[in-house]
Amino acid sequence: MLFRSLLVIVSCLSVCASGALMARSRSVDLPHRYQPSSQDRQLVQVENPVDGRIWSAWAFRSGSEYDIALAVADENGVWSEPLFFGRDDGRDQVDPAFVIHESGSVLVAFVDLSAGQILLSAIAAGGQTWSRPLPVVAGPDLRSPSMLILGDRLVLAFRD
């Protein structure tokens, strides 16, 4: 009986929490050029609490390769045209992941399969230009980067 009561409490908390999260987020359409029913890979999104912009990234299928596409929606939900990392370079870039610093800077990490590297790029809060992607980890079979900021340190995790 105690187990059932705890299960009900946990269920109520998760429903209440998801309702609260839904109330705080705004609805926007999908970014331009993202085709969920095509060969594009999963869309990753994050809302920047400092400037209110929503960032999206995905592995965009371009001919025989994947490139990382980045798009931003402004406070009115209007999407920019995507910016591409690795466009037409003959290499596959996949698995984007975001993290937002308390200053509002946005960082994106992704895998360059052909080079065996995880690359990192950043944009300042309200900025218009991403930094040139720099390799931060190298090795065969790198996948699924994930980031967290703890204090003044960026923690990067990935599958190997």
Side-chain angles (χ1 to χ4, degrees), residues 32-46:
H32 304 295
R33 297 194 188 191
Y34 176 66
Q35 301 294 322
S37 59
S38 73
Q39 293 183 8
D40 286 355
R41 295 201 178 166
Q42 184 175 356
L43 183 70
V44 178
Q45 291 186 316
V46 66

Side-chain angles (χ1 to χ4, degrees), residues 87-140:
R87 187 69 186 245
D88 298 325
D89 64 359
R91 297 158 44 161
D92 286 326
Q93 291 87 16
V94 297
D95 295 342
F98 285 115
V99 70
I100 299 176
H101 187 267
E102 65 185 15
S103 69
S105 294
V106 179
L107 292 90
V108 65
F110 58 92
V111 177
D112 184 323
L113 291 174
S114 304
Q117 298 175 326
I118 294 179
L119 295 109
L120 184 67
S121 181
I123 189 170
Q128 301 298 318
T129 306
W130 284 86
S131 66
R132 183 174 59 87
L134 297 173
V136 291
V137 178

Side-chain angles (χ1 to χ4, degrees), residues 1-31:
M1 188 61 143
L2 178 61
F3 176 74
R4 217 179 270 167
S5 298
L6 289 174
L7 182 61
V8 169
I9 291 170
V10 169
S11 297
C12 288
L13 287 174
S14 66
V15 168
C16 293
S18 66
L21 288 174
M22 288 171 45
R24 284 185 290 188
S25 64
R26 63 182 196 271
S27 175
V28 294
D29 293 325
L30 294 175

Side-chain angles (χ1 to χ4, degrees), residues 34-98:
Y34 176 66
Q35 301 294 322
S37 59
S38 73
Q39 293 183 8
D40 286 355
R41 295 201 178 166
Q42 184 175 356
L43 183 70
V44 178
Q45 291 186 316
V46 66
E47 184 171 355
N48 189 332
V50 174
D51 63 17
R53 298 189 296 179
I54 296 175
W55 287 96
S56 292
W58 67 99
F60 176 80
R61 183 69 177 191
S62 177
S64 62
E65 69 180 85
Y66 283 101
D67 304 313
I68 295 298
L70 290 168
V72 63
D74 64 19
E75 62 278 350
N76 298 317
V78 177
W79 284 102
S80 67
E81 278 298 314
L83 159 79
F84 294 95
F85 288 134
R87 187 69 186 245
D88 298 325
D89 64 359
R91 297 158 44 161
D92 286 326
Q93 291 87 16
V94 297
D95 295 342
F98 285 115

